[in-house]
Amino acid sequence: MRVANAVLMGLFAFVVSASLGERVTGRSWLGALLIAATATAIPLVATAAVLFAEPLFLVLAALACWGADAARDAEGRRLYVLAALAGLLAGLAALTRSIGVAAVAGVVLALVRKPRAAAAAALISMALLLPWGLWVAAHRAETDPVLAANYGTYADLVRQSGWGWLRVSSIGTLVRPLAALVLPPMPSWLWIAAAAWVTIVLAVGVAALVRKAPATGWTLAAYLLVVAFWPYGPDRFLWAVVPWMGLAFVAAMRAIHSRVVPVGSRRVGMRAFALVTGALVVSGFTFNGARGYAHGAATSEQRAISATFEAVLPWILEATDTSDVIAGEDEALLWLYTGRRAVPSYLWRARGRSAESLGADSLKSYFDRSGVTHVILTGPGSDAAPTIDAMLARFPGYLNPVQVWPGPMIAFRVARGP
């Protein structure tokens, strides 16, 4: 799967370079260099290295956008074949990652001047998504309510989070990770000003991308709009579209560079703004990337997960029975590598973009309902640690340590009865 993700990232870079590189940057070599640099940005490499679905999503979305933009210039049967193909690929992108509905919106909006082709693309995408939506609706009631934040529907998550967190200050949570990626170290007041300016430039770039490559531009605009309003931390969502945001930034630079504005009786060029902004972002991106690769940041998350499971998995296989139920973080991996039934060790609800523990009482009740026999705590910094600590204090004798690893990581056995 790691090899597959690497191949998919290469395929995505090729598709975007071939379809958009020269059109956006004006030079095919410059487009290829831009895509190569942004597709190997540390956050995106880290996302691919831990086997998330972003590489497959990016390939499907990029191909869908390519097909939709090609359909805009087609007529007759070719128009409808390309529109149908774009709708099919956009629907598959949305099945790969739910936020891929942005690709469906991008394809349809790009074809809006050809209503029949747009309708065909939309209908095919919806036909792909409908069975999944019906299945989720049919099985929603089977999910334990305390798992709604992790395993419920998106409507459950929105109901928990509410919309009260949406205010001007929340924009900072969207800007912060992007600015940290592209800005070099500087005084905090200057960093905030530079982050605000780069955000404005990016917005200009998205608008420019809509004009140059409508399907990709509309997809990126819809994607960022969903991220802005979605009650999850934005970081992972933003990393997936760094290459497209790089294209938008270059499109903005070209637009600003050629812009002339009246100042009094004179017309002043904007080249200096474009050159300073470009130099700032390129230097920051290069500095942060070089420093991150030097410190192994691209694979640090992957190594941390592997180190944890290399210690824990052999013990689970040796010390537990196939009928046991294990509670831990990354419960899907526990099940995948041991065959033991596994459930979460941390129950939470959404509060804006943050997570709030349901508390020790709820966690104990859930363990009892689920028949949990063992609990794995992966360290004092884990999400579950504060609630597990509260359980140890509130229910003495309920969790009994049976194995300790460096970290410390601890395996508990659950005691039944009074």
Side-chain angles (χ1 to χ4, degrees), residues 5-22 28 31-40 44 54-55 58-60 62-63 66 243-244 247:
N5 267 5
V7 171
L8 288 167
M9 284 305 303
L11 180 58
F12 165 73
F14 169 77
V15 169
V16 176
S17 296
S19 61
L20 298 178
E22 185 173 2
S28 58
L33 179 62
L34 172 67
I35 298 304
T38 51
T40 54
L44 190 49
E54 274 78 354
L58 286 171
V59 170
L60 294 170
L63 288 172
W66 195 355
W244 280 341
L247 285 171

Side-chain angles (χ1 to χ4, degrees), residues 4-241:
N5 267 5
V7 171
L8 288 167
M9 284 305 303
L11 180 58
F12 165 73
F14 169 77
V15 169
V16 176
S17 296
S19 61
L20 298 178
E22 185 173 2
R23 191 190 316 180
V24 174
T25 67
R27 299 285 190 278
S28 58
W29 66 267
L30 182 58
L33 179 62
L34 172 67
I35 298 304
T38 51
T40 54
I42 283 179
L44 190 49
V45 174
T47 298
V50 295
L51 303 187
F52 284 155
E54 274 78 354
L56 178 58
F57 159 74
L58 286 171
V59 170
L60 294 170
L63 288 172
C65 292
W66 195 355
D69 282 338
R72 286 168 53 86
D73 301 322
E75 298 293 340
R77 182 179 179 182
R78 186 168 182 269
L79 165 63
Y80 293 105
V81 169
L82 287 171
L85 181 60
L88 175 69
L89 290 165
L92 291 174
L95 286 176
T96 303
R97 285 195 53 72
S98 298
I99 198 172
V101 295
V104 176
V107 165
V108 174
L109 288 170
L111 295 172
V112 73
R113 292 184 180 179
K114 298 186 176 182
R116 291 184 179 180
L123 287 172
I124 289 174
S125 294
M126 292 302 105
L128 281 174
L129 295 174
L130 183 61
W132 169 246
L134 293 175
W135 189 91
V136 169
H139 293 275
R140 177 177 175 272
E142 299 172 16
T143 303
D144 193 313
V146 298
L147 298 180
N150 254 358
Y151 289 98
T153 66
Y154 291 126
D156 293 328
L157 191 65
V158 170
R159 274 194 294 270
Q160 284 187 2
S161 176
W163 298 105
W165 64 274
L166 282 175
R167 45 189 180 270
V168 175
S169 60
S170 68
I171 296 174
T173 61
L174 196 63
V175 173
R176 175 191 49 77
L178 289 179
L181 179 66
V182 302
L183 292 181
M186 59 182 72
S188 58
W189 64 269
L190 187 57
W191 192 91
I192 292 171
W197 170 242
V198 170
T199 302
I200 293 170
V201 171
L202 180 61
V204 171
V206 173
L209 198 58
V210 167
R211 292 192 297 272
K212 290 178 177 292
T216 301
W218 282 120
T219 296
L220 180 58
Y223 188 101
L224 294 177
L225 188 65
V226 172
V227 174
F229 283 92
W230 195 240
Y232 263 134
D235 300 49
R236 176 188 170 184
F237 296 96
L238 292 173
W239 303 147
V241 291

Side-chain angles (χ1 to χ4, degrees), residues 217-305:
W218 282 120
T219 296
L220 180 58
Y223 188 101
L224 294 177
L225 188 65
V226 172
V227 174
F229 283 92
W230 195 240
Y232 263 134
D235 300 49
R236 176 188 170 184
F237 296 96
L238 292 173
W239 303 147
V241 291
V242 164
W244 280 341
M245 288 191 288
L247 285 171
F249 181 80
V250 170
M253 288 297 94
R254 295 187 68 191
I256 294 172
H257 186 269
S258 60
R259 182 77 172 169
V260 176
V261 297
V263 178
S265 60
R266 303 182 60 188
R267 296 171 66 82
V268 179
M270 300 288 286
R271 293 183 179 181
F273 279 99
L275 291 174
V276 170
T277 303
L280 181 69
V281 168
V282 170
S283 63
F285 182 83
T286 303
F287 174 81
N288 293 328
R291 181 176 61 178
Y293 272 111
H295 289 86
T299 54
S300 59
E301 187 72 15
Q302 174 194 353
R303 293 197 309 271
I305 294 172

Side-chain angles (χ1 to χ4, degrees), residues 391-402:
M391 286 183 68
L392 291 169
R394 186 169 176 78
F395 307 107
Y398 182 70
L399 297 180
N400 302 289
V402 291

